[in-house]
């Protein structure tokens, strides 16, 4: 049997695993790392976006080499209003992520095309029979099972096009909800990567996890045509079905999350309960871990379990909003909630996305003329009205 040794084995070379490897390389160069990824490329196939206000300076610096494009502002469009917001918005891509990690990590620290078969606090068995013995193991192999949680789904297909002529789009459109409303709350998302390159994502806040990819591709093509844009080439495509969490049993989720090792990323529930986005949490966790001094198997496990539990507790307000979105609101009413949210103070919106809403923000989001009737909202929160269902994935 082949054998390898390292101080820390990181299972999964996606967003969370890659950022942990990068943060440890910077802050703990004394530790030998091994990041194990089943695919050929680190970071899968993603465009990951985030707002400048999601990250503090240390995190911003860590993410900088992975950024493909950045814009000083963005727009949103709803049937009743449009808005221009001056928060910087950046997009990372898997290509840049993979290249940045390969440039920064020491030789021998990256193992791709190698699946993890099983693991414990200090050992990892690989698909080819290699045994990795590690001082500590952290599992970042993506979300395993969310059926202990309740809520709905954010699902999407994104396509990147090279156009025959410039599109004229000056800034991202983070939500264009003037599109036909189907399957819950629907919006188109647009990133102008270059004057003649645009990324369009058709997105739904839906009760169902079923993703009809050909149908969404056709809707993206129709949006393109309606704007008078003509594609010269399709440069790439991504898709996702992400949980929007309204409640559930966090201890059960953790229990069902896989082997009894330290965890990070979506496998540890480290994402925003309402937006499903995880860049801010992934980078915060990676840096906190790199500044932690007990990095053996037991130390990593205790640190990650405590962090994930704290995150779950901090997200309770956003879960309550998800409960209103997927319980109290009928699918066709979700648009009104988002439309109203986007009339609020820009800094409140920034703090919302970064998961750092203040008590006043929390009050303000709910205050005023409600987009859904109060008795229904109260009934849902008291468990007397329609409740969000279990996040049991029913397939793509
Ligand atoms: C298409 C898409 C776009 C998204 N866009 C955004 C965005 O713009 N902003 C944002 O904040 N969030 C976004 N998200 C949500 C979230 O940030 C991502 O899902 C993020 O990649 C989750 O990070 P992770 O490290 O937990 O999982 P992943 O990035 O999925 O990483 C898990 C890795 O583990 C590997 N793996 C799995 N099993 C094994 C095994 N047995 N052995 C070895 N390797 C294994 C996988 O191949 C994968 O590379 C997006 C999600 C998707 C799917």
């Amino acid at each position: 049997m082949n054998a390898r040794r390292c101080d820390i084995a990181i299972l999964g070379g996606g967003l969370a695993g890659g950022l942990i490897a990068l943060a440890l390389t910077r802050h703990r160069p004394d530790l030998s790392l091994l990041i194990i990824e089943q695919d050929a490329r680190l970071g899968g196939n993603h465009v990951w976006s985030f707002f400048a206000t999601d990250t503090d300076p240390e995190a911003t610096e860590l993410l900088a080499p992975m950024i493909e494009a950045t814009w000083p502002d963005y727009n949103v469009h709803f049937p009743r209003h449009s808005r221009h917001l001056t928060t910087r918005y950046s997009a990372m891509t898997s290509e840049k992520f993979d290249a940045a990690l390969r440039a920064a990590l020491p030789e021998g620290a990256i193992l791709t095309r190698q699946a993890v078969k099983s693991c414990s606090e200090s050992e990892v068995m690989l698909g080819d029979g290699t045994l990795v013995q590690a001082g500590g193991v952290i599992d970042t192999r993506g979300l395993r099972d969310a059926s202990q949680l309740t809520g709905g789904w954010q699902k999407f297909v994104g396509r990147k096009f090279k156009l025959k002529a410039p599109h004229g789009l000056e800034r991202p459109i983070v939500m264009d909800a003037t599109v036909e409303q189907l399957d819950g709350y629907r919006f188109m998302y647009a990133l102008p990567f270059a004057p003649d390159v645009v990324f369009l994502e058709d997105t739904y806040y839906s009760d169902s996890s079923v993703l009809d990819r050909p149908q969404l591709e056709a809707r993206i093509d129709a949006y393109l045509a309606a704007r008078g844009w003509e594609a010269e080439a399709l440069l790439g495509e991504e898709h996702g079905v992400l949980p929007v969490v309204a409640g559930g049993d966090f201890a059960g989720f953790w229990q069902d999350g896989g082997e009894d090792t330290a965890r990070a990323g979506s496998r540890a529930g480290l994402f925003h309960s309402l937006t499903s986005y995880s860049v801010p949490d992934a980078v915060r966790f990676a840096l906190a871990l790199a500044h932690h001094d007990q990095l053996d198997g037991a130390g990593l496990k205790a640190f990650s379990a405590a962090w994930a539990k704290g995150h779950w507790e901090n997200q309770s307000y956003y879960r309550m909003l998800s409960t209103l979105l997927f319980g109290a609101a009928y699918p066709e009413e979700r648009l009104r909630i988002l439309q109203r949210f986007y009339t609020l103070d820009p800094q409140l919106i920034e703090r919302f996305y970064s998961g750092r809403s203040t008590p006043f923000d929390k009050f303000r989001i709910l205050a005023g003329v409600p987009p859904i009737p109060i008795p229904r909202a109260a009934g849902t929160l008291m468990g007397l009205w329609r409740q969000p269902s279990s996040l049991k994935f029913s397939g793509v």
Side-chain angles (χ1 to χ4, degrees), residues 316-318 320-325 337 340-341 344 348 359-372 374 377 381:
S316 63
Y317 177 76
Y318 304 112
M320 189 264 286
L321 295 182
S322 301
T323 304
L324 294 176
L325 206 59
I337 297 178
R340 180 185 169 277
F341 171 74
L344 299 175
L348 174 151
F360 182 72
D361 292 345
K362 293 179 181 179
F363 163 75
R364 188 66 194 88
I365 288 169
L366 293 170
V369 181
I372 43 174
I374 289 176
L381 296 177

Side-chain angles (χ1 to χ4, degrees), residues 186-267:
R186 174 182 175 223
F187 62 91
M188 196 64 77
Y189 168 85
L191 298 179
F193 274 102
D196 60 349
V197 176
V198 68
F199 175 79
L200 295 175
E201 197 152 73
D202 193 21
T203 308
Y204 300 76
Y205 268 73
S206 169
D207 292 321
S208 154
S209 65
V210 175
L211 185 73
D212 185 340
R213 282 175 62 186
Q215 191 173 59
L216 270 60
E217 287 164 0
R219 288 177 187 159
I220 293 170
D221 293 350
Y223 185 87
L224 195 82
R227 293 196 150 226
W229 297 335
E230 231 185 305
E232 184 177 295
L234 178 65
L235 301 178
E237 178 161 329
E238 69 168 31
H239 68 274
V241 181
L242 309 176
V244 177
V245 179
D249 170 15
F250 182 70
F253 166 77
W254 191 263
Q255 185 79 27
D256 288 355
E259 287 94 338
D260 187 24
T261 58
R263 270 173 233 163
S266 49
R267 204 173 190 87

Side-chain angles (χ1 to χ4, degrees), residues 298-315:
L300 281 172
K301 206 163 83 175
F303 181 82
S304 78
W307 185 282
K309 190 161 174 285
H311 177 73
W312 175 262
E313 284 159 8
N314 288 337
Q315 288 282 309

